[in-house]
Amino acid sequence: MVHFLHMTYTTKTFDLPVLTGLSEKQIKVHLGLYEGYVKHANLIMEKIKALKETDAEGNSYLVAELRRRFAFEFNGMRMHEYYFSQFEGEKGGDPASALAVAAAKKYGSGEDFIKHIKEVAGSRGIGWVVVYYDPSAATLHTVFVNDHELGQLAGLPVLLALDLWEHAFMVDYVPAEKKNYIDAFFANLNWSVVEKRFEEAAKRIAA
Ligand SMILES: [Fe+2]
């Protein structure tokens, strides 16, 4: 049996300004949920280790299922880190940024890019809207990811993550008001965070 280094993830803190249309209680509840993902990502790694050390052969089915489960906890953790950090800092955004140029190339204009994200966000059901950049094709992709452990685009850097699980807005809005939540998301989104992610993604060497 291979013994490998055991590590744990630490819950990140987010320096959030006062948000428009998203209450403190809503954010607190949602951050609590994020903390749960971090805790459980760590727990799964611990449990796998313990099960293997106790009886690797006898516990092989349990370990295999926990390995499958890991992406649910890990992606839940990471997607919320993308989500909350988008609200940090002084709200900025440069209409002439490299991201704006890439968005205009694919969607026509910056406004059409936002219009498209909102259209995808209007899909029925829970999930995430994720905007990725594919450096190998120099293009953006706007995807609806139903379950965050499934349907993500492999290896592509995440530029924007819009949480559309009901827990993200149900403290402040009823399900029929999802559109208002989406508007609130954009009212608070710090585009300069997204632009920075794009710049870093664009630096990646094409595969
Ligand atoms: Fe969430």
Side-chain angles (χ1 to χ4, degrees), residues 97-139:
S97 69
L99 170 65
V101 172
K105 193 177 149 200
K106 174 141 187 183
Y107 299 104
S109 69
E111 287 90 64
D112 284 329
F113 178 40
I114 296 171
K115 209 170 139 191
H116 180 66
I117 298 170
K118 286 186 174 180
E119 186 190 310
V120 178
S123 306
R124 284 174 57 73
I126 54 97
W128 296 79
V129 174
V130 191
V131 179
Y132 302 89
Y133 182 62
D134 182 2
S136 71
T139 194

Side-chain angles (χ1 to χ4, degrees), residues 26 29-31 33-34 37 76 79-80 83-84 127-128 148 162-169 181:
Q26 174 66 73
V29 165
H30 203 176
L31 280 169
L33 190 122
Y34 156 65
Y37 280 119
M79 292 305 287
H80 284 95
Y83 178 79
F84 289 113
W128 296 79
H148 52 231
L162 167 50
D163 194 342
L164 289 161
W165 285 62
E166 284 162 350
H167 66 244
F169 60 86
Y181 160 69

Side-chain angles (χ1 to χ4, degrees), residues 8-159:
T8 55
Y9 285 99
T10 309
T11 307
K12 290 191 190 309
T13 51
F14 304 93
D15 190 8
L16 299 178
V18 175
L19 300 173
T20 312
L22 287 169
S23 68
E24 252 178 67
K25 190 181 174 193
Q26 174 66 73
I27 295 295
K28 196 169 171 241
V29 165
H30 203 176
L31 280 169
L33 190 122
Y34 156 65
E35 284 163 20
Y37 280 119
V38 180
K39 182 180 152 195
H40 286 277
N42 287 330
L43 254 177
I44 286 189
M45 290 190 287
E46 257 174 54
K47 283 192 188 297
I48 289 175
K49 184 174 185 277
L51 285 166
K52 281 174 72 183
E53 281 170 1
T54 314
D55 178 6
E57 212 183 311
N59 288 326
S60 63
Y61 284 126
L62 290 173
V63 169
E65 290 310 311
L66 283 174
R67 283 185 181 130
R68 288 190 178 93
R69 179 85 188 162
F70 184 64
F72 174 76
E73 304 297 353
F74 179 90
N75 286 4
M77 170 183 76
R78 190 51 48 85
M79 292 305 287
H80 284 95
E81 289 167 356
Y82 282 118
Y83 178 79
F84 289 113
S85 58
Q86 296 164 151
F87 299 137
E88 287 186 304
E90 200 153 316
K91 250 177 75 184
D94 176 8
S97 69
L99 170 65
V101 172
K105 193 177 149 200
K106 174 141 187 183
Y107 299 104
S109 69
E111 287 90 64
D112 284 329
F113 178 40
I114 296 171
K115 209 170 139 191
H116 180 66
I117 298 170
K118 286 186 174 180
E119 186 190 310
V120 178
S123 306
R124 284 174 57 73
I126 54 97
W128 296 79
V129 174
V130 191
V131 179
Y132 302 89
Y133 182 62
D134 182 2
S136 71
T139 194
L140 299 166
H141 287 296
T142 305
V143 176
F144 194 92
V145 175
N146 227 57
D147 299 310
H148 52 231
E149 74 275 32
L150 303 166
Q152 302 257 12
L153 303 188
L156 298 195
V158 171
L159 306 183

